[in-house]
Amino acid sequence: MRGFYIGRFQPYHNGHHHMVEEIAGEVDELVLGIGSAGDSHTMRNPFTAGERIMMVSKSVDEFDLRTYPVPIEDLERNSVWVSHVQSMSPKFDVAYSNNPLVVQLFREADVEVRSSPMFRREVLEGTELRDRMVQGDDWENLVPDAVVEVIDEVDGIERIRRVADTDANGDDSADPE
Amino acid sequence: MRGFYIGRFQPYHNGHHHMVEEIAGEVDELVLGIGSAGDSHTMRNPFTAGERIMMVSKSVDEFDLRTYPVPIEDLERNSVWVSHVQSMSPKFDVAYSNNPLVVQLFREADVEVRSSPMFRREVLEGTELRDRMVQGDDWENLVPDAVVEVIDEVDGIERIRRVADTDANGDDSADPE
Amino acid sequence: MRGFYIGRFQPYHNGHHHMVEEIAGEVDELVLGIGSAGDSHTMRNPFTAGERIMMVSKSVDEFDLRTYPVPIEDLERNSVWVSHVQSMSPKFDVAYSNNPLVVQLFREADVEVRSSPMFRREVLEGTELRDRMVQGDDWENLVPDAVVEVIDEVDGIERIRRVADTDANGDDSADPE
Amino acid sequence: MRGFYIGRFQPYHNGHHHMVEEIAGEVDELVLGIGSAGDSHTMRNPFTAGERIMMVSKSVDEFDLRTYPVPIEDLERNSVWVSHVQSMSPKFDVAYSNNPLVVQLFREADVEVRSSPMFRREVLEGTELRDRMVQGDDWENLVPDAVVEVIDEVDGIERIRRVADTDANGDDSADPE
Amino acid sequence: MRGFYIGRFQPYHNGHHHMVEEIAGEVDELVLGIGSAGDSHTMRNPFTAGERIMMVSKSVDEFDLRTYPVPIEDLERNSVWVSHVQSMSPKFDVAYSNNPLVVQLFREADVEVRSSPMFRREVLEGTELRDRMVQGDDWENLVPDAVVEVIDEVDGIERIRRVADTDANGDDSADPE
Amino acid sequence: MRGFYIGRFQPYHNGHHHMVEEIAGEVDELVLGIGSAGDSHTMRNPFTAGERIMMVSKSVDEFDLRTYPVPIEDLERNSVWVSHVQSMSPKFDVAYSNNPLVVQLFREADVEVRSSPMFRREVLEGTELRDRMVQGDDWENLVPDAVVEVIDEVDGIERIRRVADTDANGDDSADPE
C-alpha cells in the first residue's frame, strides 16, 4: 500500500510533519510530491526543489516508513495534472489532500483521495512561518531540526528577506521596471 | 463571407447566443473561437475545451449558418496572437469583438473588426452565471437547453463548487501549500 | 455512441475518407482530431490547422454523421497525451487508430481502441501525395473534391514546393544558417 | 570593463537615461538588457521589444559609450535566470540593479552587483509616465526626444489607451469572456 | 561530501549499478539525476520517471550510501542546464559523467567533474538491453532484481514492443499520419 | 530604409560579411537577426547568443551603416514566425534571405523579400568552418578578425571539439544514457 501526499513545503514544517506521521499509520510507503518544483526565490516560494528535497528527506528519517520525495514541476493545465503527477511518481494507491481542486481532479480520474481537516493547518502555518522569517520572529520551533539546518546552510533567511522586499513592490520575478 | 467570433464560453450562454444570431445576419459561415482552450477546473474557467465544443455545437444547430467551433490555446504573446488565431482557424473576412485589446491587435494586423455595445452583456453574464451555479441560484434559464445537458452530463455544478472553494483560498491551480 | 479518430490530415485524402465512411457505420457521432495542429509550412506538415479543418469539414458533409473536427496541438509528453486529447475533445466512447503507440497509450488509460489494417493505407498515401504535389504529378484524384478547392485557395502547391526545397537542405524551420 | 543594466524600458525615460549616464563613467561598454521582451500591448508593457530597441539605441547615441541593447525573454524560473541572461548577453563584469531579487540572484551566482538609491526613480516614473499617456497629460518632457519619435511612429498613445481600457476590465490578454 | 550522477536509466542496469558502487567509495551521499524525466513510451525512453525512481531506489538499497533519486525534466537550453540541475538537486560537490557535453557544461560553470572510461559501458548496454527486450532475448540478468520486478509490474515488455513498432515507422510521438 | 537579414552566425564569417557589405549599398540601417538564439554548446550551434552579438557587432563596425544585432529565440511555429520576428526587431522595410521557407513565410505575410544566389555561400561555409575548427585545420582566414578574438576569449575551439565528440554519439543535449 503506497500513498501520495503533495505540498509545496516552503518550508517543510511541523504541520506537514504531523500529517506524514498520521499517514504513516495507514500506508507502507509514501511518495512526497514537492509541488511547484521550478519556483524559488519568491516570498511564496523561497526555496529550490533541491533544498526542499533535503528538508523532507532528513526530516522523515525518524519515521518507520519508506518515502520517495519527488519534485513535481507545474504544468498549468489542470486537465492533465493527474497524468503528469502519475508519470513523475512511483505508482500510488491513495492520495492525501485537503485542497478541493486536487480532490476534484483525482476523483474525476478515479483515484482514491482521503481528506482531513487537519490538512488546513499546513496552509496557515506556511504563510505564518515565512512572515516570521522576514520579521525576525521565532520560527525555528515550528519546523523539524533538519529544516533549520538546511535553511542555515543556504543562508535562507537573508534570501527570503530580500525577495520579500521585491514582492512588496508587487513583483516576484527578476524583471525590474 | 466568413466571420470570426471569439469567447471563452465558460459556459456558452444566452448573451453569446444572441450575438451569434445577430452575426448570422451578416455572414455565410462563422468560426467560433473557444479561447483559453487549455484552461479548465477553475472558478473562471470551469469547463474543458471539449465540453465547450459540445455546448456551442449543439446550441448553434438552430441557426441556418455553417459554424466551425475551434479551440484556441493561449500563447501569452500578444504580438503573435493574431497569427496564432489565423493559423488555427479557417480563413475569415471579419472579426467580431468588443474587447479593446483584441480590436487593437486585429487593427494593427489590418483585419476588419466589428464591435457592438451588445457584446458587453456576455462579460457580465459569464461571471454572474458562474456565481449562481456556486450559490445554488437559478442559472438554467440563462443558457440554451443544450448547455444544461452538457453541464449535467459532466457533473459540472459539483465541479464548479469545489473549485470555487479552492479559489476562495487564493489559488487556482492544483498545487496546495 | 461517439468515436474518436486522429490523424495529421496533411492533407485529408481518400484513405482517410474511406476510414471515416467505415467508422460511420459503427458510431453516431465522430470526433476528428487534427494532430500536430501547430505545425505547418514543412514538407511533412504543409497545411495549417485552420486549412485542415476546412478540408475535413467540407469533405465529411456527404456522410450522414455528426462530426467534430478538433485541432490538437502537440504536447510532447506521451504520458499525458490521453488526458490532453480528452480535455480538447467532446467525450468519446471508442478511439480508432492503428498506430501502436496510440493504441498502447489508450489501453493504459482504459480507453477502448479499435484497429484495422486498412488504417495503414493512409500513412503510405500521405507521403506519396505530398511527393506528387512537389513533382507535379497527378494528385487531385487521390483526395475529395473539397480538398482540391482548399489547396487551390491557399496556393498550397506553391507552398509545398518551396518548403520541399528547404527540407532538401535538411532544415524544416524558418531558421537559416 | 563591461557593465550590464536591465530594465523593461516601457518606455525608456529620463530616469533610465540618467542612470546610463552615471554608469558610463564607470565602464567602457554597457549591455542594456530589455526585460520581458516577449510582452507587449498591455498597460504595463505597451511596447514590443523591437520598439524598445529603437528607443534605447537612438537615445544612448549621445553618450560616448559602446552599448549593446539586448532583448531578454522571460523564463519564469528564478533559479536559472542568471544563466539565461549570461547566455543572451555579451560577457559582463558588473551588473547594475536596485531590484532586491536581481541583486540576490546575481550574488548567489557570484556576479558583482552595484546598487544605488537613484534606481528607484525609474520605477515610479514608468508607472507615472504610462498613466499620463492614457490620461492625455504631458509626458513628452519625461523622455529623450528619440523616444517621442518612436512612440509617434507606432501610434503608441492610441495603443496604450486601448489596452488600458482592457486592463480596467481586469484582463491583459487578447482573450475576451 | 555529496556526488551527482546523471543518467536516463532506461532502464537502470548493471552498468549503472557498478558505477554507483564505484562512486560509493568516494562520497558520503549521492544524488541520482533521472534525466529526460518527462519522456516515456518511446523505444529510447520506454519508462516514466516514476517507474525509474522505483528501479533506482530499490536497487541501491544494498549499498551503504544515502541516495536521492531526482527526476530532471529536459529544458533544451544547454546554456542554463547546469543551473537547472543545481536547482532541482540537493547541493553537490562533484559531478560524475563521461558525456563530453556534460563535462564541458559543468567545467564552464566551475563544477568539479570526474570521468572514467567505465561510464561508456552504460551507453552500449542501454541500447542493447532495450533491443533484447523487443526481440525476446534474455535481458533479466543484465539488471538488478528490483528492476525486473518493476518492469513486470508495469507490463514493460509489452509496452516497449508496441512502441518499437511505432518507431520502426519513423515516429516516436502519439501523432499518426 | 531599413533592412532585415537573419542568420544563425555560428560563427559569423566572411560569407555573411560580404552579404552585409552588399546590403549596405541598398539600405540605411540593417537589423541582423541572430537566429536560434537559445541554442549553444552543440556542433551545429556552438556559440551563445551573447557571443554571437559580440562577433557581429565588432565585425560590422567597419561599414558605414547603422546596425541592430537582435537575438531571436526559436518558437517552432512557422505560422507565427513572421510576427515573432517583427515583434523582436526594429521595424524593417525589406527582408534579405535565400532560404525558401523564410521567403515563403515573408511573402504570405506581404513583406518584401530579396534573394541572391550569393546567400548560399554562407550555408556551405558555416558547416565547413565548424569542421575545420574540430579537425584543427585553418579557419581563422575565413572570418573577420573580431570573430577570431571572440572565439579565443571564450575558448571556443575547445568547446566545439568537446561537443563534436558528443554529437558523434548521436546526442546534442546534456542528457547522457
Side-chain angles (χ1 to χ4, degrees):
Chain A
M1 174 87 167
R2 198 177 294 131
F4 178 81
Y5 171 41
I6 193 166
R8 292 203 339 274
F9 305 125
Q10 289 284 14
Y12 182 82
H13 56 61
N14 292 337
H16 302 122
H17 206 53
H18 294 145
M19 275 310 310
V20 173
E21 194 172 15
E22 198 83 2
I23 296 169
E26 304 185 15
V27 301
D28 304 307
E29 303 195 341
L30 181 61
V31 180
L32 287 146
I34 296 174
S36 295
D39 290 357
S40 70
H41 296 84
T42 68
M43 179 65 190
R44 188 167 140 84
N45 288 298
F47 304 107
T48 68
E51 290 159 359
R52 291 178 271 159
I53 290 173
M54 289 299 293
M55 295 177 192
V56 170
S57 300
K58 303 279 191 197
S59 299
V60 300
D61 264 2
E62 67 174 272
F63 301 127
D64 180 29
L65 178 74
R66 182 171 197 123
T67 57
Y68 304 86
V70 177
I72 310 272
E73 296 194 34
D74 288 339
L75 259 198
E76 303 193 357
R77 284 281 307 271
N78 286 335
S79 52
V80 304
W81 187 82
V82 170
S83 293
H84 172 51
V85 163
Q86 286 175 326
S87 77
M88 288 293 157
S89 166
K91 203 167 191 166
F92 52 89
D93 306 293
V94 56
Y96 290 84
S97 176
N98 217 41
N99 176 300
L101 172 54
V102 169
V103 169
Q104 175 69 11
L105 293 173
F106 275 126
R107 280 200 188 149
E108 290 194 16
D110 289 324
V111 175
E112 188 192 345
V113 203
R114 295 186 193 155
S115 299
S116 139
M118 196 181 323
F119 279 93
R120 270 292 169 247
R121 273 188 58 201
E122 64 194 14
V123 180
L124 301 172
E125 287 182 2
T127 306
E128 168 73 14
L129 242 176
R130 296 191 297 269
D131 281 343
R132 289 189 180 200
M133 288 172 169
V134 173
Q135 304 301 332
D137 295 340
D138 174 63
W139 59 272
E140 288 90 343
N141 66 343
L142 302 177
V143 302
D145 291 349
V147 173
V148 178
E149 279 161 41
V150 173
I151 290 176
D152 279 359
E153 198 187 312
V154 304
D155 239 331
I157 301 303
E158 193 195 334
R159 187 195 295 163
I160 197 171
R161 280 183 194 158
R162 282 191 181 279
V163 301
D165 238 45
T166 309
D167 276 356
N169 289 303
D171 237 344
D172 68 353
S173 82
D175 172 51
E177 173 68 8
Chain B
M1 174 86 169
R2 197 178 294 133
F4 177 81
Y5 172 41
I6 193 164
R8 294 205 335 275
F9 305 124
Q10 290 283 15
Y12 182 82
H13 56 61
N14 292 338
H16 301 121
H17 207 52
H18 294 145
M19 274 312 307
V20 174
E21 194 172 14
E22 199 82 1
I23 296 171
E26 302 186 15
V27 302
D28 304 308
E29 303 195 340
L30 181 61
V31 180
L32 288 146
I34 296 175
S36 295
D39 290 357
S40 68
H41 296 83
T42 68
M43 179 64 190
R44 187 169 141 85
N45 288 297
F47 304 108
T48 68
E51 290 160 357
R52 291 179 271 159
I53 289 174
M54 288 300 293
M55 294 177 193
V56 170
S57 299
K58 302 279 192 197
S59 298
V60 298
D61 263 4
E62 67 174 272
F63 300 128
D64 180 29
L65 179 74
R66 180 168 200 126
T67 57
Y68 303 86
V70 177
I72 310 273
E73 296 194 33
D74 288 340
L75 259 198
E76 301 190 1
R77 283 281 307 271
N78 285 335
S79 53
V80 304
W81 187 81
V82 169
S83 292
H84 172 50
V85 162
Q86 287 176 325
S87 78
M88 287 294 157
S89 165
K91 202 167 190 165
F92 52 88
D93 307 291
V94 56
Y96 290 84
S97 175
N98 216 42
N99 177 300
L101 171 55
V102 169
V103 169
Q104 175 69 11
L105 293 173
F106 275 127
R107 280 199 189 149
E108 290 193 17
D110 289 325
V111 175
E112 188 192 345
V113 203
R114 295 186 192 155
S115 300
S116 137
M118 198 180 322
F119 280 93
R120 269 294 170 243
R121 274 188 58 200
E122 64 194 15
V123 180
L124 302 172
E125 287 182 1
T127 307
E128 167 74 14
L129 241 175
R130 295 190 298 269
D131 281 343
R132 290 189 179 200
M133 288 172 167
V134 173
Q135 303 302 331
D137 296 339
D138 175 62
W139 59 272
E140 288 91 343
N141 64 345
L142 301 178
V143 303
D145 291 350
V147 173
V148 178
E149 281 162 38
V150 173
I151 292 176
D152 279 0
E153 200 187 311
V154 302
D155 239 331
I157 301 303
E158 193 195 333
R159 187 196 294 164
I160 197 172
R161 280 185 193 153
R162 280 191 182 279
V163 300
D165 240 46
T166 309
D167 276 355
N169 290 303
D171 237 346
D172 68 351
S173 83
D175 172 50
E177 173 68 9
Chain C
M1 175 83 169
R2 198 178 294 132
F4 177 82
Y5 171 40
I6 193 166
R8 292 205 338 273
F9 306 125
Q10 290 283 15
Y12 182 83
H13 56 61
N14 291 337
H16 302 123
H17 206 54
H18 294 144
M19 274 312 307
V20 174
E21 194 171 14
E22 198 84 1
I23 296 170
E26 303 185 16
V27 301
D28 304 307
E29 302 195 341
L30 181 60
V31 180
L32 287 146
I34 297 174
S36 294
D39 290 357
S40 68
H41 296 84
T42 68
M43 179 66 189
R44 187 167 141 84
N45 288 297
F47 305 108
T48 68
E51 290 161 357
R52 290 178 273 159
I53 290 173
M54 288 300 293
M55 294 176 192
V56 170
S57 299
K58 303 279 191 198
S59 298
V60 300
D61 263 3
E62 68 175 272
F63 300 128
D64 180 30
L65 178 74
R66 181 171 199 124
T67 57
Y68 304 85
V70 177
I72 310 272
E73 296 194 33
D74 288 341
L75 260 198
E76 303 191 0
R77 283 282 307 274
N78 285 335
S79 52
V80 304
W81 187 82
V82 169
S83 292
H84 172 51
V85 162
Q86 286 175 326
S87 78
M88 288 292 157
S89 165
K91 203 167 189 165
F92 51 88
D93 307 291
V94 55
Y96 290 84
S97 176
N98 216 42
N99 177 299
L101 172 55
V102 169
V103 169
Q104 175 70 10
L105 293 173
F106 275 125
R107 281 199 188 149
E108 290 193 17
D110 289 325
V111 175
E112 187 193 344
V113 203
R114 295 185 192 155
S115 299
S116 139
M118 196 181 323
F119 279 93
R120 269 293 170 246
R121 272 188 59 199
E122 65 194 13
V123 180
L124 303 173
E125 287 182 2
T127 307
E128 167 74 14
L129 241 176
R130 294 192 297 270
D131 281 343
R132 289 190 179 199
M133 288 172 169
V134 173
Q135 304 300 333
D137 295 339
D138 174 63
W139 58 272
E140 289 92 344
N141 65 344
L142 301 177
V143 302
D145 291 349
V147 172
V148 178
E149 280 161 39
V150 173
I151 291 177
D152 279 359
E153 200 188 310
V154 302
D155 239 331
I157 300 303
E158 193 195 333
R159 188 196 293 164
I160 197 171
R161 281 185 192 154
R162 280 190 184 279
V163 300
D165 238 47
T166 308
D167 277 356
N169 290 303
D171 237 344
D172 68 353
S173 82
D175 173 51
E177 173 69 7
Chain D
M1 174 86 167
R2 197 179 294 133
F4 177 81
Y5 171 40
I6 194 165
R8 291 205 337 274
F9 306 124
Q10 290 282 15
Y12 182 82
H13 56 61
N14 291 337
H16 303 121
H17 207 52
H18 294 145
M19 275 310 308
V20 173
E21 195 172 13
E22 199 82 2
I23 296 169
E26 302 185 16
V27 301
D28 305 307
E29 302 195 342
L30 180 61
V31 181
L32 287 146
I34 297 175
S36 295
D39 291 357
S40 69
H41 296 83
T42 68
M43 179 66 190
R44 188 167 140 85
N45 287 298
F47 304 109
T48 68
E51 290 161 358
R52 291 178 272 160
I53 289 173
M54 288 299 293
M55 294 177 194
V56 170
S57 299
K58 303 279 192 198
S59 298
V60 299
D61 263 2
E62 67 175 271
F63 300 128
D64 180 30
L65 178 75
R66 181 169 200 125
T67 57
Y68 304 85
V70 177
I72 310 272
E73 296 194 33
D74 288 340
L75 259 199
E76 302 191 359
R77 284 280 308 272
N78 285 335
S79 52
V80 304
W81 186 82
V82 169
S83 292
H84 173 49
V85 162
Q86 286 175 326
S87 77
M88 287 293 157
S89 165
K91 202 166 191 167
F92 53 88
D93 307 291
V94 56
Y96 290 84
S97 176
N98 216 41
N99 177 300
L101 172 54
V102 169
V103 169
Q104 175 69 10
L105 293 174
F106 275 126
R107 280 199 190 151
E108 289 193 17
D110 289 323
V111 175
E112 187 192 346
V113 203
R114 296 187 191 154
S115 301
S116 138
M118 196 182 322
F119 280 93
R120 269 293 170 247
R121 272 188 59 201
E122 66 195 13
V123 180
L124 303 172
E125 287 182 1
T127 307
E128 167 74 13
L129 241 177
R130 295 191 298 269
D131 281 343
R132 290 190 178 199
M133 288 172 169
V134 173
Q135 304 301 332
D137 295 339
D138 175 63
W139 58 273
E140 288 90 343
N141 65 345
L142 301 177
V143 303
D145 291 348
V147 173
V148 178
E149 279 161 40
V150 173
I151 291 177
D152 279 359
E153 199 187 311
V154 302
D155 239 332
I157 301 303
E158 193 194 332
R159 188 196 293 163
I160 197 171
R161 281 184 193 155
R162 280 191 183 280
V163 301
D165 238 47
T166 309
D167 276 356
N169 289 303
D171 238 345
D172 69 351
S173 83
D175 173 51
E177 173 67 7
Chain E
M1 174 84 167
R2 197 178 293 131
F4 178 81
Y5 171 40
I6 194 165
R8 290 203 342 272
F9 305 125
Q10 289 283 14
Y12 182 83
H13 56 62
N14 291 338
H16 302 122
H17 206 54
H18 294 145
M19 274 311 308
V20 173
E21 194 172 14
E22 198 82 2
I23 296 170
E26 304 185 16
V27 301
D28 305 306
E29 303 195 341
L30 180 61
V31 180
L32 287 146
I34 297 174
S36 295
D39 291 356
S40 68
H41 295 84
T42 68
M43 179 65 190
R44 187 167 142 86
N45 287 297
F47 304 109
T48 68
E51 290 160 358
R52 290 178 272 159
I53 290 173
M54 288 300 293
M55 295 177 192
V56 170
S57 299
K58 303 278 191 198
S59 298
V60 298
D61 264 1
E62 67 176 89
F63 300 128
D64 179 31
L65 177 74
R66 180 168 201 125
T67 56
Y68 304 87
V70 177
I72 310 273
E73 296 195 32
D74 288 339
L75 258 199
E76 303 191 358
R77 284 280 308 273
N78 285 335
S79 52
V80 304
W81 187 81
V82 170
S83 293
H84 172 50
V85 162
Q86 286 174 326
S87 78
M88 287 294 157
S89 164
K91 203 166 189 165
F92 52 89
D93 307 291
V94 56
Y96 290 84
S97 176
N98 216 42
N99 177 300
L101 172 54
V102 169
V103 170
Q104 174 70 9
L105 293 174
F106 275 126
R107 280 200 188 150
E108 290 193 17
D110 290 323
V111 175
E112 187 193 345
V113 203
R114 296 188 192 153
S115 301
S116 137
M118 197 182 322
F119 280 93
R120 270 292 169 250
R121 272 189 58 203
E122 64 194 13
V123 179
L124 302 173
E125 287 182 3
T127 307
E128 167 74 13
L129 243 175
R130 295 191 298 269
D131 281 343
R132 289 189 179 201
M133 288 172 169
V134 173
Q135 304 301 334
D137 295 340
D138 175 63
W139 59 272
E140 288 91 343
N141 65 344
L142 301 177
V143 302
D145 291 349
V147 173
V148 178
E149 279 161 41
V150 173
I151 291 177
D152 279 359
E153 198 187 312
V154 303
D155 238 332
I157 301 304
E158 192 194 334
R159 187 195 294 163
I160 198 171
R161 281 183 193 156
R162 280 190 182 280
V163 301
D165 238 46
T166 309
D167 277 356
N169 288 303
D171 238 343
D172 69 352
S173 83
D175 173 52
E177 173 69 6
Chain F
M1 175 85 168
R2 198 177 294 132
F4 177 82
Y5 171 41
I6 193 165
R8 292 205 339 273
F9 306 124
Q10 289 283 15
Y12 182 82
H13 56 61
N14 291 337
H16 302 121
H17 206 53
H18 294 145
M19 273 312 307
V20 173
E21 194 171 16
E22 198 83 3
I23 296 170
E26 302 185 17
V27 301
D28 304 307
E29 302 194 341
L30 182 60
V31 180
L32 288 146
I34 297 174
S36 295
D39 291 357
S40 70
H41 296 83
T42 68
M43 179 63 189
R44 187 167 139 85
N45 288 298
F47 304 108
T48 68
E51 290 160 359
R52 292 178 271 159
I53 290 173
M54 289 300 292
M55 294 176 192
V56 170
S57 299
K58 303 279 191 198
S59 299
V60 299
D61 263 3
E62 67 174 272
F63 300 128
D64 180 29
L65 178 75
R66 180 169 199 125
T67 57
Y68 304 86
V70 177
I72 310 272
E73 296 194 33
D74 288 339
L75 260 197
E76 302 192 0
R77 284 281 307 273
N78 286 335
S79 53
V80 305
W81 186 82
V82 170
S83 292
H84 172 50
V85 162
Q86 286 175 326
S87 78
M88 287 294 157
S89 165
K91 202 166 190 166
F92 52 88
D93 306 292
V94 55
Y96 290 83
S97 175
N98 216 41
N99 177 299
L101 171 55
V102 169
V103 169
Q104 175 69 9
L105 293 174
F106 275 125
R107 281 200 187 149
E108 290 194 17
D110 290 325
V111 175
E112 188 192 344
V113 203
R114 296 187 191 153
S115 300
S116 137
M118 197 181 322
F119 280 92
R120 270 292 169 249
R121 274 188 58 201
E122 63 193 15
V123 180
L124 303 173
E125 288 182 1
T127 307
E128 167 74 14
L129 243 175
R130 295 191 298 269
D131 281 343
R132 289 188 180 201
M133 288 171 168
V134 174
Q135 304 301 332
D137 296 339
D138 173 63
W139 58 271
E140 288 90 342
N141 65 343
L142 301 177
V143 302
D145 290 349
V147 173
V148 178
E149 280 161 41
V150 173
I151 291 176
D152 279 359
E153 198 187 311
V154 303
D155 238 331
I157 301 303
E158 193 194 334
R159 188 196 293 164
I160 197 171
R161 279 183 194 156
R162 280 192 182 277
V163 301
D165 238 47
T166 309
D167 277 355
N169 289 303
D171 238 343
D172 68 352
S173 82
D175 173 51
E177 172 68 6

